[in-house]
Amino acid sequence: MQTINIEKNDAGQRADKFLTKYLPLAPKSFLYKMMRKKNITLNKKKMTGKEHLALGDQIQMFLSEETIGKFSKMHTPKLMQTDTNIPSSKVSVIYEDEDVLFLDKPCGMLSQKAKATDFSLVEWLTGYLLKTQAITQEELLRFHPSICNRLDRNTSGIVTAGKSLKGLQVLSTMIQNRSVRKYYRTIVCGQMKESVRAKGYLKKDENQNKVTIFSDRQEGSVPIETEYVPIQTGTDFTLLEVHLITGRTHQIRAHLASLGHPVLGDYKYGKRSANDRAKKEFGLTHQLLHAYRMEFPDEVPDLPSLSGRVILAKVPRQFAKILHQYLEKEQ
């Protein structure tokens, strides 16, 4: 017999969902059968699987060690692997408490895996939490910390993550309902001297992984809204702060390009001559877009540590060098 003590990251889940995480290789029919036969019980009573677990509950499994072992085998990724071309030191922790984590993602790193062999920020996060003993291998069988927002591979900056189930759920909900204000910094081609609050419709071509911006609604399109504020304006380039009001695929890059001010370094939507110049002078091979700031509401009841908090991630060194050369030296 094995007893599982329900901890904070387990509480609130339906019992059957918890069991499928704990015994991921077990057929659901097997789990329900074991519950019906009282071979799996909750607080020493018969369970149906529909119960919501509470902190301090106990699940008893009257199963052999062989059976539990057979159904609980789970592949654990090679965390903090050394063969990745993104050294772990390049990811920096901006803020951390018992429920949440804010990371500064470097350009070139995936937020999440695209294929099984990828090493992404999610794997880095899991490895970091194991290394700092914020979570154990056993706890990973029951709860996987994860990121709550994603950035393109070649966009740098702030990524939020939930260390606890509560942190993951609350942060994800806030991002989905847009109660968190997200700001980016970028250098665009041309002069922009006035703030713009632009609206439009975005339609994605899945085959080409490219989007098109329209002024009127099109079949299959979604509404978008983006706000741009010039920070520094030079002869050929402008440093912008971008408030991402809606968050769609390639929204900032495509929306700015549609306004005639493409992001520097963006070969998909941008201006080749300017991109080639920055590539030659600074080795820039990606869009110069950085998730710079997040602002939280004055009150976050479920995560009070985030109430009124502002998270900042300074621009990367390459961004700062280009900014100095193309804009600051003109001032």
Side-chain angles (χ1 to χ4, degrees):
M1 192 265 285
Q2 184 176 118
T3 298
I4 306 168
N5 295 309
I6 300 303
E7 300 176 359
K8 70 171 185 176
N9 287 334
D10 309 320
Q13 299 182 71
R14 269 182 53 138
D16 51 1
K17 290 186 177 181
F18 171 82
L19 289 172
T20 58
K21 293 178 184 177
Y22 196 81
L23 299 175
L25 303 183
K28 287 187 178 179
S29 58
F30 171 82
L31 295 175
Y32 287 119
K33 181 180 179 180
M34 292 300 99
M35 286 187 276
R36 285 196 306 270
K37 296 179 67 175
K38 293 187 179 181
N39 286 335
I40 301 179
T41 62
L42 176 61
N43 297 327
K44 300 181 180 180
K45 296 178 181 179
K46 185 177 180 179
M47 61 188 294
T48 65
K50 295 180 180 180
E51 300 86 353
H52 282 80
L53 300 175
L55 182 65
D57 281 348
Q58 289 188 331
I59 291 178
Q60 294 84 25
M61 292 187 176
F62 297 92
L63 305 172
S64 68
E65 291 294 330
E66 291 78 12
T67 299
I68 293 174
K70 180 176 71 172
F71 289 138
S72 65
K73 289 180 181 176
M74 180 180 284
H75 171 67
T76 301
K78 293 181 179 178
L79 305 164
M80 302 296 286
Q81 56 190 16
T82 56
D83 59 345
T84 176
N85 60 2
I86 302 291
S88 60
S89 60
K90 293 293 184 181
V91 180
S92 58
V93 176
I94 305 171
Y95 171 81
E96 180 178 6
D97 60 32
E98 64 178 6
D99 293 305
V100 299
L101 195 67
F102 291 82
L103 304 172
D104 187 354
K105 183 187 84 68
C107 181
M109 188 177 204
L110 287 166
S111 295
Q112 292 179 310
K113 283 186 176 186
K115 55 183 183 296
T117 55
D118 287 335
F119 180 80
S120 72
L121 193 62
V122 173
E123 284 70 53
W124 186 93
L125 170 66
T126 310
Y128 169 81
L129 294 177
L130 284 169
K131 185 177 179 181
T132 58
Q133 299 182 337
I135 198 166
T136 65
Q137 290 282 3
E138 182 182 354
E139 288 172 320
L140 282 177
L141 295 175
R142 298 146 67 167
F143 168 72
H144 259 280
S146 188
I147 62 174
C148 305
N149 67 302
R150 291 183 294 174
L151 298 177
D152 288 344
R153 180 197 287 267
N154 289 322
T155 297
S156 58
I158 302 169
V159 176
T160 65
K163 286 175 62 177
S164 68
L165 181 62
K166 181 176 76 170
L168 186 61
Q169 291 174 336
V170 173
L171 268 181
S172 296
T173 299
M174 293 183 73
I175 289 170
Q176 288 172 6
N177 65 23
R178 302 175 193 165
S179 59
V180 180
R181 296 169 67 89
K182 295 183 287 185
Y183 297 87
Y184 292 70
R185 289 285 170 98
T186 185
I187 296 176
V188 299
C189 299
Q191 294 184 341
M192 293 185 76
K193 296 182 178 181
E194 295 183 358
S195 300
V196 176
R197 191 179 181 99
K199 296 182 180 181
Y201 295 88
L202 178 149
K203 186 174 182 179
K204 184 176 181 181
D205 184 332
E206 295 288 351
N207 294 326
Q208 296 188 32
N209 189 30
K210 193 171 182 178
V211 305
T212 304
I213 307 299
F214 299 92
S215 56
D216 300 311
R217 185 183 294 276
Q218 306 289 314
E219 183 179 356
S221 67
V222 291
I224 58 170
E225 189 171 356
T226 327
E227 187 175 34
Y228 312 99
V229 178
I231 304 299
Q232 286 180 264
T233 302
T235 304
D236 300 314
F237 302 99
T238 302
L239 172 66
L240 289 183
E241 179 162 279
V242 181
H243 177 203
L244 189 61
I245 300 170
T246 57
R248 307 293 186 182
T249 302
H250 299 174
Q251 177 179 325
I252 293 174
R253 297 159 60 190
H255 212 170
L256 281 165
S258 74
L259 296 173
H261 297 283
V263 172
L264 184 63
D266 188 353
Y267 278 92
K268 180 166 284 191
Y269 301 101
K271 185 177 179 182
R272 177 167 288 276
S273 59
N275 296 343
D276 288 346
R277 173 187 168 186
K279 184 177 181 180
K280 180 179 179 180
E281 294 177 353
F282 296 97
L284 183 67
T285 57
H286 56 83
Q287 70 267 9
L288 211 58
L289 185 61
H290 179 70
Y292 175 73
R293 188 168 85 251
M294 276 191 177
E295 295 180 357
F296 285 84
D298 289 339
E299 292 190 12
V300 184
D302 294 322
L303 291 175
S305 63
L306 297 184
S307 296
R309 187 173 290 276
V310 176
I311 304 293
L312 290 172
K314 65 179 183 180
V315 298
R317 183 177 300 178
Q318 185 183 48
F319 190 121
K321 286 182 177 180
I322 296 172
L323 174 62
H324 176 72
Q325 183 68 30
Y326 287 178
L327 286 159
E328 292 176 347
K329 286 180 70 175
E330 294 187 3
Q331 303 301 312

